Amino acid sequence: MSVLPISNGKPYIESDDIKEVIKSLKSGFLSQGDSINQFEKLFKKKFKCKFSIACNSGTSAIYLAMHSIGVKKNDVIILPSINFIAAANVANLFEAKIYFADVDIQTGQLSVESVTRCIKKNKIKKVKAIINMYLSGNLRQVSDFYKLKKKLNCYLIEDACHALGSYYYYKNKKFFIGSCKHSDICTFSFHPLKTITTGEGGLITTNDKKIYNKSKLFRSHGIIKTNKHWKYNVISPGLNLRLSNINASLGISQFKKNR
Ligand SMILES: Cc1ncc(COP(=O)(O)O)c(C=O)c1O
């Protein structure tokens, strides 16, 4: 008996996407070129956030987020008990203490009440970060989580890998997820199962310049360029988490479909 593969999400690739990718291939600039900046600018403009940093996966985006807020060994990270494994894996790499808070039986998502219960039950004294995840792109209690973050004096990261294009209203004003109006950092994935795809890819948005600078540095080996041609300084540890120009070009044409 032969088994047919059943895809649970087919990427929407049209001729304009193919044209953009071919243009990028023909340009001769396959890495570290202007299409990365162009891709990042689309997010800033649409979401009205100050900074955006593209990277090579949603998992890398979560890594950049945790690095930029300075997660250390034994720092407490609270995660939803229904989640993709990426955030837990990254927190584990940072040797953080991970607590999985219950999710709401109706929404399958964290609630302010369940996080509060988790903190009380486990007698947690200090929370480093809550990493909320908007399952299936449903935004729940966005501004309430922000109030909780303020109360706990911790970071709030929105894992919005399912939620590109989702929006909510606060005081009658519309906010796209990614605006970081009610969080410190928002992370996205462009895996083919997501709203738009770059093949593999990710991005973070933030309004915090320190978070932006730390993430940008880490994304590319901790290197800063000098004015002198071919000369650069390595000022901190880092990795190569860069998105390629080819992927960014696909992202640019995909983003335009996300109205
Ligand atoms: C909620 C969530 N976070 C993070 C990720 C990781 O994204 P990526 O596969 O681009 O590394 C995914 C991917 O499926 C996800 O669903």
Side-chain angles (χ1 to χ4, degrees):
M1 192 180 82
S2 64
V3 179
L4 285 174
I6 300 172
S7 103
N8 67 346
K10 205 167 168 225
Y12 198 63
I13 304 290
E14 297 178 300
S15 57
D16 55 341
D17 299 304
I18 295 166
K19 256 190 217 153
E20 275 300 324
V21 172
I22 291 175
K23 209 167 89 187
S24 163
L25 287 169
K26 285 185 174 167
S27 75
F29 291 97
L30 303 189
S31 168
Q32 293 168 278
D34 194 47
S35 42
I36 315 286
N37 294 335
Q38 278 179 40
F39 186 50
E40 290 171 341
K41 269 187 194 157
L42 289 172
F43 283 79
K44 279 194 287 186
K45 193 168 171 217
K46 173 123 185 169
F47 299 156
K48 299 188 172 68
C49 59
K50 286 194 185 144
F51 308 105
S52 63
I53 302 159
C55 56
N56 54 14
S57 71
T59 309
S60 300
I62 295 171
Y63 193 98
L64 287 176
M66 285 202 214
H67 166 75
S68 68
I69 62 167
V71 175
K72 296 187 305 295
K73 188 173 179 171
N74 292 330
D75 277 349
V76 169
I77 303 284
I78 299 182
L79 298 171
S81 52
I82 291 183
N83 202 354
F84 183 63
I85 193 64
N89 267 342
V90 176
N92 202 27
L93 283 174
F94 280 91
E95 299 184 81
K97 262 193 191 158
I98 303 168
Y99 288 87
F100 292 103
D102 285 339
V103 292
D104 181 87
I105 199 159
Q106 302 294 334
T107 66
Q109 297 195 24
L110 279 188
S111 66
V112 165
E113 296 73 22
S114 71
V115 171
T116 309
R117 267 198 311 274
C118 171
I119 292 169
K120 262 197 193 146
K121 192 175 150 200
N122 293 290
K123 300 190 173 79
I124 297 170
K125 291 207 173 69
K126 177 76 192 139
V127 178
K128 178 73 180 184
I130 300 166
I131 307 185
N132 201 3
M133 198 276 271
Y134 300 120
L135 188 68
S136 312
N138 271 324
L139 309 181
R140 299 277 166 183
Q141 294 191 308
V142 179
S143 58
D144 294 336
F145 267 103
Y146 188 66
K147 278 185 207 145
L148 180 67
K149 161 217 141 63
K150 288 274 183 200
K151 191 173 144 199
L152 297 173
N153 191 21
C154 71
Y155 288 98
L156 177 60
I157 298 172
E158 296 168 294
D159 178 348
C161 288
H162 293 187
L164 177 69
S166 297
Y167 55 83
Y168 62 100
Y169 286 88
Y170 179 72
K171 294 188 176 169
N172 290 329
K173 230 179 133 192
K174 180 174 166 180
F175 294 99
F176 276 102
I177 216 64
S179 67
C180 294
K181 177 74 187 164
H182 292 104
S183 69
D184 297 291
I185 307 174
C186 199
T187 65
F188 295 98
S189 161
F190 310 123
H191 179 274
L193 286 181
K194 302 298 187 284
T195 320
I196 66 163
T197 188
T198 58
E200 296 282 0
L203 182 136
I204 72 171
T205 56
T206 184
N207 292 316
D208 185 318
K209 192 151 193 210
K210 272 193 199 146
I211 288 175
Y212 169 71
N213 285 337
K214 272 190 99 172
S215 301
K216 203 163 173 208
L217 205 55
F218 194 88
R219 174 179 69 171
S220 196
H221 307 289
I223 284 175
I224 49 164
K225 298 218 170 90
T226 65
N227 291 335
K228 290 187 190 128
H229 204 45
W230 289 112
K231 212 170 167 223
Y232 60 82
N233 293 324
V234 181
I235 63 162
S236 71
L239 292 169
N240 176 358
L241 303 180
R242 297 187 306 261
L243 187 70
S244 84
N245 283 19
I246 310 163
N247 299 88
S249 301
L250 176 56
I252 290 166
S253 70
Q254 285 268 302
F255 193 93
K256 290 175 186 161
K257 301 178 206 292
N258 177 45
R259 291 190 187 96

